[in-house]
Amino acid sequence: MRASTTSRFTRNGLGIVASLAIAAGLVSCSATAADDRPEIVVTTNILGDVVTELVGDQASVVTLMKPGADPHSFSLTAQEAASIENADFVVSNGLGLEEGVAQHLEQVDAAGIPHFVASDAFEPLSYTEGDAEGMDDPHFWTDPARMSAVVDALGTRLATDLDGLDAAALDASVAAYESELDELDEWMQGEFDTIPSESKSLVTNHHVFGYLAERFGFTVVGTVIPGGTTLAAPSAADFAELSADITAARVPTIFADSSSPDDLARALAEEAGIDVRVEQLFTESLTPAGGGAATYLEMMRANTERITTGLTS
C-alpha cells in the first residue's frame, strides 16, 4: 500500500481521534477492515462504474468526477488531489478528456503510481472537422466494443500491478462484464437497425458520437459546438452552416448533452426554421441513482432508446 495507516484512517473519515481510540481498545477494529483494501482512484464516473463492476468489494474505488459533471471542465479539491497522491492505482480516460485534471495525472506518472489510461487499449478515431480536426477523439465509451477492449486491458493491468486482489474473482468479473457488453452491443445494433438508413443522421451539441456512428452506421451531420470539448463556442457562421445541413438532411431531432445546458441546441433548432426537437442524452456523465443513467450499461440503453425514438417518430 502506498498510503500510511494514518492517511487511510483520515481518508475514510475516522481521523486521529478514532485511530487512538482503536489503539486503546475503545473501538472495535472490525469497522476498519476495509482500510486494508487497495485504493483505486478513477477520474470519470463512467470509468468509475466500470472499475467498481470489475473489483467489487476487493478494493476501495474513489471516483473523482461527480454525477452530472462535465468531464472537460471538472476540477479537484485539495482533498481529492491528495487522494490521487495516496492511491495504489489510478484509472483515467486519456486523449485530453479530463482537461481540469491533467496536471494531477502528470504528478501521478512522475510519482510512479500505477496508472491505467483507457485510451491506450484501442485505436482512437480522429475528429474530421471543426476546431478539433485531426485531434484524437476521447469519447470511446459510446462504442461498447471499444469499452470491452478497455475492460480486457484493465483487468490485465489490475492483476499485474495491484496487490491484494483475488485473481480468480477478478477474472470472473472481467468475463461476466465483457459478456454484458457483448449483449449490449448486440441489442443496440438491433434497435438501431429499426431506423431507416436515410434517417441515421446525428446532430449533437458537441462531438461525442464519433465512435457510436462508426460502430452502428450513423452519419454525424454536425455539432452545435464546433469541437471536441464543451468549452468551445459556436459563431454565427457555424450556426448558419449547421442549420443548412440540418435542413438538407431533414434531421428531426437534435441531441443535447445532459451534463451541458441545451440552450445552444434549442437556439439552433429555432435558427433552422424547421420543426426540430431537442432531446437530452446521457453522453459524458452518469446520473445519481434513479436519474436514468446511474451505470454505464443503463446510460447506453437509455441513449439507444432515445436516439431510436428521436429518429423514427
Side-chain angles (χ1 to χ4, degrees), residues 43-46 64-75 230 257-260 283-288:
T43 54
T44 72
N45 52 46
I46 291 173
L64 300 176
M65 179 181 155
K66 303 297 186 294
D70 184 336
H72 297 281
S73 60
F74 86 100
S75 57
T230 55
D257 210 54
S258 65
S259 65
S260 303
T283 56
E284 293 199 297
S285 181
L286 301 183
T287 66

Side-chain angles (χ1 to χ4, degrees), residues 146 184 194:
R146 281 185 170 86
L184 172 67
T194 66

Side-chain angles (χ1 to χ4, degrees), residues 138-272:
H139 306 95
F140 75 90
W141 59 85
T142 61
D143 174 8
R146 281 185 170 86
M147 179 60 87
S148 185
V150 169
V151 167
D152 186 66
L154 176 57
T156 300
R157 281 291 306 277
L158 287 170
T160 302
D161 294 343
L162 189 61
D163 294 333
L165 298 184
D166 181 276
L170 178 63
D171 287 346
S173 295
V174 169
Y177 198 69
E178 286 181 336
S179 178
E180 290 193 81
L181 291 173
D182 289 343
E183 292 177 8
L184 172 67
D185 184 76
E186 183 177 354
W187 175 81
M188 289 175 66
Q189 185 67 69
E191 291 296 300
F192 289 147
D193 282 346
T194 66
I195 304 173
S197 57
E198 66 272 15
S199 299
K200 296 183 75 172
S201 300
L202 292 172
V203 177
T204 59
N205 68 311
H206 84 289
H207 286 288
V208 71
F209 282 111
Y211 291 94
L212 181 143
E214 182 199 54
R215 180 70 176 171
F216 298 107
F218 285 86
T219 297
V220 179
V221 173
T223 61
V224 180
I225 300 174
T229 171
T230 55
L231 305 182
S235 66
D238 293 327
F239 257 40
E241 181 179 356
L242 185 53
S243 295
D245 291 340
I246 289 174
T247 301
R250 298 182 179 180
V251 174
T253 304
I254 298 171
F255 297 102
D257 210 54
S258 65
S259 65
S260 303
D262 62 356
D263 295 350
L264 290 177
R266 295 190 184 280
L268 178 59
E270 295 175 3
E271 178 75 19

Side-chain angles (χ1 to χ4, degrees), residues 51-130:
V51 171
T52 301
E53 289 289 335
L54 300 188
V55 302
D57 61 3
Q58 291 197 74
S60 171
V61 179
V62 176
T63 301
L64 300 176
M65 179 181 155
K66 303 297 186 294
D70 184 336
H72 297 281
S73 60
F74 86 100
S75 57
L76 305 184
T77 65
Q79 182 177 3
E80 289 168 337
S83 72
I84 291 184
E85 297 174 6
N86 288 329
D88 296 302
F89 195 94
V90 174
V91 178
S92 68
N93 188 93
L95 300 181
L97 180 76
E98 305 100 324
E99 298 173 60
V101 189
Q103 68 182 55
H104 301 291
L105 294 175
E106 291 174 0
Q107 293 172 359
V108 164
D109 293 332
I113 299 171
H115 178 196
F116 176 81
V117 182
S119 56
D120 288 345
F122 58 88
E123 188 67 29
L125 297 177
S126 297
Y127 295 118
T128 58
E129 60 180 21

